[in-house]
Amino acid sequence: LAELVLLYKEKQEYEAALKTANQLMKENRQQALLSDMDSHIRDLEALTLDVNQRISELESKYQKAGEVKTVTGRALALSLSELYLSVNETEKAVSILNQLLDNIDKESEEVEVVSNAYYLLAKWHSDTGDFRKGASLYLDSAGLFILYDLDLAARAMYRGAESFSACGMQMDAKSVVNQMFDLFPDNEWTQAASKWR
């Protein structure tokens, strides 16, 4: 449990880390104190409070900006979704991301917002075990990332190949990796993906 607390903290999932730390403190106080869990709990309480305050402020700005109906609102929607995901409020995050994508012209100038929204949704689908949907969305995000950041495109394609491989679609994973070698052969993500080739 102590290792899990550190892992959650490292992934910035502060509420999950705090819940686990409190559970450890309740079940085995002596061991928890030996592993300095009381100071971790204090840190996590401050971090959780900070994140919740940021969410509250961002929600207010998001509503004032017209939510997903405006360019500013859509940019704020992306930031708000990231914060919701960091505190495991996945339903709210996914709902906002879907609204954002429903209210944006895919050919618009907001390519960074759209590409990142696809990426966050892809990660959520893969994290919840829907690897096929995750892979598809990773590739959608890569197709937009490639317009402005080749490293982010390579990362998204890597995650796409990884998701295809996770659901047993080895030929699709291989196809994505071959594309990566065509597009960015020297990129570290491409080198890492060679295991699916």
Side-chain angles (χ1 to χ4, degrees):
L1 283 173
E3 291 296 316
L4 193 56
V5 169
L6 298 176
L7 185 64
Y8 278 136
K9 194 174 177 182
E10 187 181 304
K11 291 175 71 180
Q12 297 182 342
E13 294 179 13
Y14 302 128
E15 292 203 348
L18 183 58
K19 186 177 175 184
T20 307
N22 283 327
Q23 179 187 346
L24 179 60
M25 199 66 138
K26 189 173 154 187
E27 290 176 8
N28 195 338
R29 186 168 176 78
Q30 187 177 0
Q31 187 64 43
L33 291 171
L34 280 172
S35 59
D36 205 23
M37 202 50 59
D38 52 337
S39 71
H40 284 299
I41 288 173
R42 282 193 302 275
D43 289 349
L44 289 165
E45 284 172 343
L47 288 167
T48 304
L49 185 67
D50 184 43
V51 170
N52 287 333
Q53 186 177 345
R54 283 178 28 224
I55 286 174
S56 178
E57 289 167 3
L58 204 52
E59 278 176 339
S60 177
K61 284 182 187 174
Y62 171 62
Q63 288 163 357
K64 285 178 186 165
E67 299 186 354
V68 293
K69 303 278 187 259
T70 66
V71 172
T72 305
R74 288 189 288 272
L76 289 168
L78 188 65
S79 300
L80 188 56
S81 298
E82 287 177 306
L83 278 177
Y84 277 142
L85 288 170
S86 77
V87 294
N88 284 325
E89 293 268 2
T90 52
E91 280 183 32
K92 286 182 181 178
V94 170
S95 172
I96 289 174
L97 288 168
N98 284 323
Q99 288 173 43
L100 186 159
L101 290 170
D102 288 344
N103 282 276
I104 197 168
D105 176 7
K106 306 297 187 282
E107 306 299 316
S108 76
E109 298 296 309
E110 298 170 76
V111 67
E112 290 186 39
V113 171
V114 178
S115 55
N116 281 293
Y118 278 139
Y119 189 87
L120 287 175
L121 276 176
K123 184 178 182 326
W124 176 75
H125 278 288
S126 290
D127 287 352
T128 56
D130 189 353
F131 296 108
R132 187 177 294 213
K133 180 74 173 167
S136 171
L137 287 165
Y138 276 129
L139 297 183
D140 288 342
S141 71
L144 295 171
F145 280 136
I146 208 162
L147 300 173
Y148 68 96
D149 190 324
L150 295 182
D151 195 54
L152 290 178
R155 178 189 69 170
M157 289 181 79
Y158 173 90
R159 296 287 178 222
E162 180 180 53
S163 295
F164 277 134
S165 178
C167 66
M169 299 173 71
Q170 302 309 328
M171 293 306 291
D172 293 89
K174 183 178 179 176
S175 173
V176 171
V177 175
N178 287 338
Q179 282 183 300
M180 291 175 75
F181 273 95
D182 290 344
L183 294 168
F184 7 75
D186 300 324
N187 188 285
E188 63 186 282
W189 290 104
T190 303
Q191 300 307 314
S194 62
K195 61 187 165 202
W196 296 301
R197 204 166 187 199

